[in-house]
Amino acid sequence: MAKSKKEMPELNGAGMSDISFLLLSFFLMTSNMDQTSGLQRRLPAMPPENQEKTPENEVKRRNVFQVRINQWDAVFAGGSPMDLSMLREEVKSFILNPTNDPNKSEKIEQDIKGLGKFPVSEAVISLQNDRGTGYEVYIKVQNEIVAAYNEIREDFSRAQFNGRSFESLTEEEQDIVRDVFPQRISEAEPKDISAANTRRRR
Amino acid sequence: MAKIKKDTKRKVAGYSSASMSDIVFMLLFFFMVTTSMRQHEVMVTVRLPEASEATKLERKDLTSYIYIGTPVRAQQAQYGTDARIQLNDSYKTVDDIRDFIASQREQMNEYDRQFMTVSLKIDSDVRMGIVTDVKQELRRTSALKIMYSARKLDKSGGM
């Protein structure tokens, strides 16, 4: 053929970037980068109306660590006022109870899958608040309690699994640690200060 | 003196903008992947509390949101400044939570219902009274998995 000189027309790519900029700005505007993070909790199921107080669902007094926040956002732990910065250590020593103090939580030997017998603490952290308590303080206290549990688990994991941190363990190993230190945080029934005398314990 | 010869034929080399679109497309894909569309028009101001132990939420699609806080400024003339509950796109009361949870459950398939999480986005300045009412109502509707939304705080910086 004679028309060997004819070239392919060049494609003008300038408009493409306009279109993609338009799309880009759309996604920039509509996106929100915030990841949903927070403290996960499981609420207790509503008890049946006619539930009797039986010895089984009554927790022994020494195993309950009461944390109370009153309407002026003051924190009381185990009956005495406590600074928020002290709470974590206090909760840890209550759960671990290294000296086997009869006022702190008791340990009961349990058979844990994959580990064998281990004295598991029966501790329950009971969190009580008033209707006037500020949400910010409430979350701070919750955070401290979770932090106490996390630190205990971390320490145990490092002692048990050759210095590996809790996060680096496999799923099964994490379950073992969770079984040894189960997170028992009870968010007590709401109560007003005026109704303090008639409160029930769950 | 040598005469500077003007080269009339010489042109400025045109630059190719073809690769610009490549870069922009790369950015575009990044934002498309990381983005999550805003589901609700938030009508209450929510300043989340901070927590160092906050964990990430795994299944966003199985999460329902309950917002509690003071109405935004534009709505304050009508609704005042008391803390209010927002479900979907309007202010609701505690009694509406039952229906809200039921309708959210309805949208999920049978298997996923047990993993449903209710994310409570609550302003730091809210008093616990209204939060407790919501929690009691959630217990009654047996939506027991909840999450107190909080901003993740750096562990070293936290208290």
Side-chain angles (χ1 to χ4, degrees):
Chain A
M1 284 270 219
K3 284 182 181 176
S4 58
K5 270 188 182 172
K6 193 176 179 182
E7 286 174 27
M8 273 282 283
E10 207 171 300
L11 187 74
N12 189 359
M16 186 147 85
S17 71
D18 290 357
I19 293 166
S20 45
F21 259 121
L22 196 88
L23 277 168
L24 175 63
S25 23
F26 169 72
F27 276 99
L28 265 169
M29 278 174 176
T30 54
S31 74
N32 52 341
M33 301 285 278
D34 67 315
Q35 282 168 333
T36 319
S37 64
L39 303 169
Q40 287 198 18
R41 219 11 53 79
R42 206 179 167 83
L43 294 172
M46 218 47 169
E49 292 287 313
N50 50 2
Q51 194 187 36
E52 298 273 318
K53 231 180 190 177
T54 53
E56 286 94 71
N57 55 27
E58 183 77 15
V59 183
K60 269 194 201 165
R61 182 154 289 210
R62 63 172 282 194
N63 290 330
V64 179
F65 187 72
Q66 283 214 341
V67 181
R68 237 179 262 181
I69 319 167
N70 70 6
Q71 69 266 52
W72 298 290
D73 294 350
V75 183
F76 296 85
S80 54
M82 183 157 302
D83 195 66
L84 211 54
S85 55
M86 298 274 292
L87 186 64
R88 192 184 299 193
E89 288 306 312
E90 204 67 25
V91 171
K92 273 173 80 176
S93 80
F94 182 83
I95 299 163
L96 289 172
N97 193 8
T99 52
N100 287 322
D101 188 334
N103 291 321
K104 290 178 178 170
S105 67
E106 69 182 326
K107 294 171 196 153
I108 292 174
E109 284 235 328
Q110 277 181 24
D111 212 3
I112 285 160
K113 216 172 101 188
L115 186 74
K117 288 225 183 300
F118 193 87
V120 176
S121 173
E122 289 285 294
V124 174
I125 314 294
S126 162
L127 184 57
Q128 286 186 349
N129 64 277
D130 188 75
R131 291 188 69 85
T133 305
Y135 183 67
E136 190 165 16
V137 178
Y138 184 74
I139 287 300
K140 273 186 183 153
V141 169
Q142 287 253 11
N143 188 48
E144 288 304 301
I145 297 170
V146 176
Y149 271 107
N150 284 352
E151 279 181 17
I152 288 172
R153 285 176 178 176
E154 182 70 30
D155 290 346
F156 177 78
S157 156
R158 287 199 189 274
Q160 192 71 31
F161 299 104
N162 307 323
R164 285 158 66 203
S165 73
F166 181 66
E167 262 161 41
S168 68
L169 299 180
T170 62
E171 199 61 42
E172 291 85 40
E173 288 168 334
Q174 284 193 354
D175 280 342
I176 292 172
V177 181
R178 284 201 196 97
D179 283 347
V180 173
F181 293 110
Q183 221 178 59
R184 292 206 196 95
I185 303 170
S186 132
E187 292 166 33
E189 294 277 297
K191 64 179 182 68
D192 289 329
I193 291 298
S194 54
N197 299 327
T198 55
R199 84 191 140 87
R200 283 171 297 166
R201 217 144 60 84
R202 288 235 156 78
Chain B
M1 226 165 89
K3 197 185 173 189
I4 299 169
K5 202 168 124 195
K6 204 173 177 187
D7 189 3
T8 45
K9 271 185 188 169
R10 199 160 166 181
K11 275 191 207 162
V12 178
Y15 79 98
S16 156
S17 61
S19 56
M20 180 151 89
S21 68
D22 292 356
I23 294 167
V24 175
F25 262 116
M26 204 172 71
L27 276 169
L28 174 64
F29 288 138
F30 170 73
F31 276 98
M32 276 176 77
V33 169
T34 56
T35 197
S36 59
M37 295 285 183
R38 234 176 252 148
Q39 281 126 335
H40 309 294
E41 185 72 32
V42 181
M43 291 158 77
V44 292
T45 36
V46 174
R47 192 172 56 86
L48 291 176
E50 288 171 339
S52 58
E53 309 299 316
T55 47
K56 244 189 263 169
L57 188 69
E58 287 110 16
R59 295 288 301 270
K60 253 188 182 171
D61 50 326
L62 301 180
T63 309
S64 316
Y65 296 92
I66 296 178
Y67 299 88
I68 305 174
T70 52
V72 290
R73 189 154 289 182
Q75 305 279 347
Q76 277 181 8
Q78 202 178 345
Y79 294 100
T81 52
D82 262 4
R84 279 183 166 268
I85 303 167
Q86 183 195 342
L87 307 169
N88 290 333
D89 282 327
S90 57
Y91 298 124
K92 291 282 162 63
T93 59
V94 176
D95 302 324
D96 296 318
I97 289 177
R98 181 180 293 267
D99 291 337
F100 171 71
I101 296 294
S103 73
Q104 294 283 318
R105 277 220 186 95
E106 205 72 7
Q107 290 167 17
M108 294 171 193
N109 65 44
E110 204 93 357
Y111 176 74
D112 285 338
R113 277 178 201 170
Q114 51 184 319
F115 301 116
M116 182 175 132
T117 309
V118 179
S119 176
L120 301 170
K121 295 199 171 232
I122 304 173
D123 190 81
S124 318
D125 297 329
V126 167
R127 302 275 115 187
M128 278 306 286
I130 191 167
V131 181
T132 318
D133 291 343
V134 169
K135 264 161 61 181
Q136 288 299 98
E137 191 62 31
L138 286 175
R139 280 178 71 188
R140 252 173 245 130
T141 47
S142 55
L144 299 177
K145 267 186 86 174
I146 60 163
M147 177 170 213
Y148 299 110
S149 273
R151 267 177 298 145
K152 179 115 176 79
L153 204 70
D154 196 25
K155 267 191 187 175
S156 53
M159 40 166 290

